[in-house]
Amino acid sequence: MISFPTTLDGLYINGQWSAGPEHLRVINPASEALLTTVNGGDEHAVDQAVSAASAAFKNWSQTSGTERGAILRNIANGVRNGREHLMNLQSSNNGKPQFEAAIDVDDVIATFEYYAELAEGLDAKQDSNVPLPSDDFSARLRREPCGVVGLIVPWNFPMVTTAWKLAPALAAGCCVVLKPSEVTPLPELELAAIIAESGLPNGVFNLVCGTGLAVGAPLSVDPRIAKISFTGSNAVGVQVMQRAAETVKGVSLELGGKSSLLVLADADMDLAVELACGGAFFNAGQMCSATSRVLVAEELEEEFLTRLQKRAQAIRVADPFDADVEMGALVNQAQYQRVLGHIDRGLSAGARLLCGGNRPADLPRGYFLQPTVFTDVPLDSALWCEEIFGPVLCVRSFSSEAEAIALANDTPFGLVASVVTADAVAADRVANALQAGMVWINAPQVIFPQAAWGGYKQSSIGRELGPWGLAAFQEIKHVIRAV
Ligand code: NAD
């Protein structure tokens, strides 16, 4: 367990740490105890951070990809050296088990290393010739950083959502103002401390902790910001987009989900149960990609429910630092109440509770909830239709592949989906028919920085990771010359 100073500076602007006027109380969700108070910023701090980033852009945008790649590698190494501390910060501030925090930190390292490699490759690719159907003209295409960018991230994967934006933005040559969630600023404060030692010139990276209204809103309207990259809820994503529209900023959005796992009639049942539990209960279900719905072939339903209930009830909910923990705490009181409210409304709507739904008896404090499974969930209920963002899974049977696909696609979201089947042809057929940005076949929700992340419909605008994540921070200039 880490001990914290009573207060922490919440601003890192132009290479300097300082305290802002807003006092953000940071809680340990497993004990409900106050960890520390972060002195976050307001509109004035945003103005200073954007000024610093704008001034730094002149030189940073002219650096070579090789130079930028070297700094990204320094950041990756800094994260590697601070791995254990960063894991502890995430478990303390977010409530996630240590093994999950380790996955997050390793993802951050892999992301910075991947974009270091892409940055190093940029020098040869910055200008490329474009063949024209005319001998009178020649053309080249030039990729340039899009400018100063605002990055706004949520609390569920604080470091990971930050890395997926920050690494490609720096690789492209953009300058950055980052706003972490006011609920989980501690991992990003440590990341900023690592970045401060990485050799990155002052002003290229700036951090302003604070609330959505005090910091996120002014960032979204500042005319000097070229682009906002936002991960969070749909309600706030819409507000960010509306504000950004006033100055016609680019906007990337990573929003909510209501994702399904399809268990076809020939599925390996043990695998299906493991994937259902992993998808629904990892990070206490607080995932945009959470498996909210399991659609199971009707001939397997009874046996599947028996095995699922047994496995869900055996999941060890415990303190995130407990050696045998399988599921930790929800992030805060508000989120805890929100999820309990969904469970109550589901029961009122007539859904059948198979297991869970309560606080574990051995955990009287902290925002802990049992893994929860519902069946017979009405198709028009909030439980079936809305993002729950907690450890709550709804199971329903289907009688045909077409019905399963229709049920999975019947949502305004389209982030991810999973399929379990022994039939490789059926797996691809179903994957192609699902309206989702990412589909896993017989696989847990593994994510590689090389593969695109993002969704269809109201889950996303744009894609993160891969070369698409880098392109999101680049402008394209076409230069045509008379010859
Ligand atoms: P949230 O929308 O409440 O907050 C996200 C961020 O926006 C926070 O930093 C918050 O302070 C800021 N914010 C709040 N109001 C703002 C405003 N008016 N203007 C600008 N910024 C504002 O989301 P959350 O509760 O932190 O995270 C949970 C949500 O994030 C879920 O809906 C989840 O699906 C989504 N999410 C999506 C992905 C993805 O990749 N698609 C990944 C993680 C989380």
Side-chain angles (χ1 to χ4, degrees):
M1 198 54 88
I2 323 173
S3 61
F4 294 90
T6 324
T7 62
L8 286 170
D9 289 347
L11 310 179
Y12 178 72
I13 298 173
N14 209 18
Q16 300 293 321
W17 288 97
S18 62
E22 303 260 336
H23 305 305
L24 310 170
R25 286 167 56 81
V26 183
I27 305 291
N28 176 349
S31 66
E32 305 179 32
L34 181 71
L35 289 172
T36 183
T37 299
V38 170
N39 292 320
D42 56 6
E43 211 174 324
H44 178 61
V46 171
D47 181 56
Q48 288 183 325
V50 178
S51 296
S54 304
F57 185 68
K58 192 166 173 252
N59 287 336
W60 180 246
S61 60
Q62 299 305 313
T63 52
S64 69
T66 309
E67 288 170 75
R68 298 196 296 274
I71 289 174
L72 290 175
R73 287 193 193 283
N74 291 345
I75 297 173
N77 286 333
V79 173
R80 190 179 281 109
N81 293 337
R83 185 173 184 270
E84 202 169 324
H85 185 51
L86 286 162
M87 282 166 55
N88 291 343
L89 284 175
Q90 294 206 99
S91 291
S92 303
N93 193 177
N94 186 280
K96 58 178 78 197
Q98 286 271 279
F99 77 89
E100 293 189 8
I103 293 173
D104 284 11
V105 178
D106 291 343
D107 182 296
V108 171
I109 296 167
T111 301
F112 275 99
E113 286 183 339
Y114 172 68
Y115 281 108
E117 200 182 315
L118 289 204
E120 287 153 1
L122 275 180
D123 295 332
K125 283 192 218 140
Q126 186 171 17
D127 291 279
S128 55
N129 290 328
V130 181
L132 295 179
S134 160
D135 293 335
D136 299 333
F137 302 94
S138 70
R140 72 185 158 91
L141 195 76
R142 186 170 171 77
R143 287 168 215 279
E144 296 183 347
C146 70
V148 175
V149 295
L151 313 181
I152 303 177
V153 297
W155 47 258
N156 63 336
F157 291 98
M159 284 193 73
V160 169
T161 49
T162 293
W164 289 10
K165 299 178 189 308
L166 181 57
L170 294 178
C174 293
C175 292
V176 168
V177 178
L178 169 68
K179 191 205 101 54
S181 167
E182 61 274 34
V183 180
T184 53
L186 301 185
E188 276 101 330
L189 283 170
E190 185 58 26
L191 185 64
I194 290 168
I195 292 172
E197 301 296 316
S198 69
L200 194 69
N202 289 344
V204 174
F205 166 79
N206 306 276
L207 172 84
V208 182
C209 293
T211 62
L213 284 181
V215 175
L219 198 56
S220 312
V221 288
D222 193 303
R224 297 165 294 174
I225 297 271
K227 172 160 196 167
I228 294 283
S229 181
F230 172 86
T231 299
S233 63
N234 283 61
V236 176
V238 168
Q239 288 176 27
V240 166
M241 201 174 171
Q242 283 169 338
R243 291 202 170 93
E246 290 171 23
T247 50
V248 197
K249 293 187 201 321
V251 176
S252 290
L253 301 178
E254 287 299 337
L255 308 176
K258 191 74 190 175
S259 301
S260 293
L261 177 131
L262 284 67
V263 183
L264 306 194
D266 61 358
D268 175 329
M269 198 92 84
D270 288 335
L271 177 65
V273 168
E274 275 315 303
L275 296 183
C277 288
F281 305 132
F282 191 86
N283 211 26
Q286 302 165 116
M287 297 195 290
C288 49
S289 62
T291 301
S292 304
R293 302 171 174 174
V294 169
L295 306 169
V296 58
E298 59 187 3
E299 50 270 58
L300 302 185
E301 187 185 16
E302 201 182 324
E303 175 67 15
F304 178 78
L305 285 176
T306 306
R307 293 199 202 185
L308 178 65
Q309 179 178 1
K310 196 170 162 213
R311 179 69 187 100
Q313 285 176 328
I315 287 175
R316 187 166 146 67
V317 183
D319 185 277
F321 289 94
D322 190 296
D324 301 322
V325 60
E326 284 186 276
M327 194 176 97
L330 276 74
V331 79
N332 63 11
Q333 168 97 33
Q335 187 61 16
Y336 192 61
Q337 293 304 335
R338 204 175 145 256
V339 176
L340 288 174
H342 267 293
I343 292 172
D344 281 350
R345 279 194 299 282
L347 290 169
S348 305
R352 184 167 73 87
L353 186 65
L354 187 72
C355 60
N358 284 308
R359 166 185 289 283
D362 60 334
L363 293 166
R365 287 187 71 75
Y367 306 117
F368 293 100
L369 194 57
Q370 295 164 327
T372 300
V373 181
F374 278 100
T375 60
D376 302 334
V377 183
L379 289 180
D380 60 354
S381 64
L383 199 59
W384 184 260
C385 299
E386 293 177 15
E387 183 178 50
I388 308 290
F389 229 61
V392 179
L393 175 60
C394 301
V395 184
R396 188 181 183 86
S397 66
F398 61 84
S399 56
S400 69
E401 188 181 297
E403 187 193 359
I405 291 165
L407 281 166
N409 287 341
D410 186 20
T411 160
F413 298 112
L415 192 56
V416 305
S418 306
V419 189
V420 194
T421 173
D423 180 342
V425 175
D428 280 326
R429 188 172 61 234
V430 171
N432 293 349
L434 289 167
Q435 295 163 344
M438 167 78 88
V439 182
W440 289 282
I441 298 173
N442 297 330
Q445 294 196 2
V446 283
I447 298 171
F448 299 96
Q450 290 77 4
W453 180 263
Y456 284 30
K457 301 193 274 186
Q458 293 181 29
S459 282
S460 301
I461 293 184
R463 289 291 182 275
E464 296 196 312
L465 298 182
W468 308 275
L470 181 68
F473 293 105
Q474 290 175 318
E475 282 287 6
I476 286 185
K477 182 182 281 175
H478 219 130
V479 182
I480 297 188
R481 180 195 300 265
V483 289

